Amino acid sequence: MLRNFLIIAIIMGKSVTAQYRIIDIDEVNRIYTENISDIESEFIVENNGAFATIFNNGNALLRPPVLGGNEGIYFDKSETMFEMIKSLTYPVKSGKSFWERKKNELLELPRTSKYFNAKLSEMLNYNVSLRYDSLYLKNLSIIVNNYIKNEKVSKDFEYYVVIYLVDILRIKLNGEWNLRPQPALNTYYIPELLTNEGAIYPWNYLLGQIGMSSFITINIEKILENSVTYIQKKT
C-alpha cells in the first residue's frame, strides 16, 4: 500500500517541490530488482544503516537496514532523499515496542532514570529507591509480587521494573548507561550498563524473570545477583 506525501526540500537556497512515496518492503524489493541495471550509485546511510540507491533517471530509493522495518521510501528526485537523510527523520511507520515509544526519554539517560523510577513508584503505590540492601530488596520483592498477583499487569510495567533494577546495578557497580542503536530508518536505542568489567545487557533475562512472576514468586535480590553474570567482558 502506497502513502503519498508532498514535501518542500530546500536545495541550494531554493524551494523545490518534490514527491515521495512510502512503500512496503515487497514493493521496495521489486523496484530495486527491476531497475538494478539502471543504478547510478549506491551507499549506506551512516546514521542508521539504510541502503540508498540513485537511479540514472534521477529517482532514488531508500531501503531499510537489515531487520530494520517493513517500509522504504521511493523518491522522484534524489535531492529530496538527501534532504530527508539530513533531517534524520523518516515518515515511515514507527514500531510499537517500549524502546521505540520511549526513545526520547532513553536518549536523556541517566537524567531521565528518575522518570522511569517515578513511573514504577506510581504503579506500585510505593516509592522505590536505588538501594541494594537485603532488607529493602526483600520488602520490594513482596510489594512487586503482591502487585502482580492483584493487578492486571501491563507489558510496560515489566520494562519499568527492569530499567529500575539495572539502575540499582548502575549504582552498586559504579556503572554508566550506554545506548545501543537498533536497525531502523528512524533509529531507536536499547540501553546497556557499562562497568569496569564490561557491558551488562541483561534485558532478555530480566524480562523473562519478571514475566514468570505471574506463576512463581520472584526474589529481586537473587535476580540482581544473577544479572551480573550477563557482563560481556572487555577484551
Side-chain angles (χ1 to χ4, degrees), residues 104-117:
N104 291 336
E105 289 82 3
L106 290 167
L107 283 170
E108 296 297 322
L109 284 170
R111 182 180 62 83
T112 48
S113 63
K114 294 180 179 179
Y115 161 83
F116 292 108
N117 296 342

Side-chain angles (χ1 to χ4, degrees), residues 86-214:
K86 184 178 179 181
S87 76
L88 302 178
T89 302
Y90 304 88
V92 296
K93 291 178 182 177
S94 296
K96 297 181 179 180
S97 73
F98 180 88
W99 305 121
E100 289 168 278
R101 288 186 286 109
K102 298 298 180 180
K103 173 181 174 178
N104 291 336
E105 289 82 3
L106 290 167
L107 283 170
E108 296 297 322
L109 284 170
R111 182 180 62 83
T112 48
S113 63
K114 294 180 179 179
Y115 161 83
F116 292 108
N117 296 342
K119 283 287 187 181
L120 179 60
S121 294
E122 181 182 343
M123 290 178 169
L124 293 174
N125 194 27
Y126 174 80
N127 290 325
V128 299
S129 61
L130 298 177
R131 293 166 53 191
Y132 198 105
D133 63 83
S134 294
L135 184 60
Y136 169 74
L137 294 176
K138 181 178 180 180
N139 188 50
L140 181 63
S141 296
I142 294 171
I143 291 170
V144 171
N145 281 304
N146 287 340
Y147 176 84
I148 292 169
K149 289 180 173 61
N150 297 320
E151 299 288 341
K152 186 177 181 180
V153 177
S154 69
K155 193 67 179 177
D156 280 6
F157 171 77
E158 297 178 8
Y159 282 90
Y160 286 125
V161 172
V162 299
I163 289 175
Y164 165 68
L165 295 182
V166 176
D167 211 18
I168 290 179
L169 287 175
R170 178 179 67 86
I171 301 299
K172 177 177 174 58
L173 301 175
N174 194 29
E176 295 181 355
W177 286 109
N178 186 53
L179 297 176
R180 285 190 180 186
Q182 303 301 303
L185 282 175
N186 291 310
T187 305
Y188 65 100
Y189 305 87
I190 296 179
E192 64 182 356
L193 188 63
L194 299 183
T195 72
N196 290 332
E197 296 294 324
I200 301 179
Y201 195 75
W203 304 109
N204 290 339
Y205 166 71
L206 288 174
L207 287 169
Q209 291 296 303
I210 302 302
M212 288 193 299
S213 59
S214 298

Side-chain angles (χ1 to χ4, degrees), residues 55-72:
F55 300 104
N56 290 324
N57 63 1
N59 296 160
L61 180 67
L62 198 60
R63 293 177 287 150
V66 177
L67 302 178
N70 296 312
E71 291 186 324

Side-chain angles (χ1 to χ4, degrees), residues 2 21 23-36 55 61 63 74:
L2 303 182
R21 296 180 294 164
I23 55 181
D24 64 34
I25 196 64
D26 291 334
E27 183 72 358
V28 168
N29 293 333
R30 184 191 66 77
I31 290 174
Y32 183 81
T33 301
E34 291 182 359
N35 296 279
I36 197 166
F55 300 104
L61 180 67
R63 293 177 287 150
Y74 185 74

Side-chain angles (χ1 to χ4, degrees), residues 66-81:
V66 177
L67 302 178
N70 296 312
E71 291 186 324
I73 308 174
Y74 185 74
F75 301 86
D76 287 349
K77 294 178 181 292
S78 60
E79 293 92 339
T80 303
M81 179 181 71

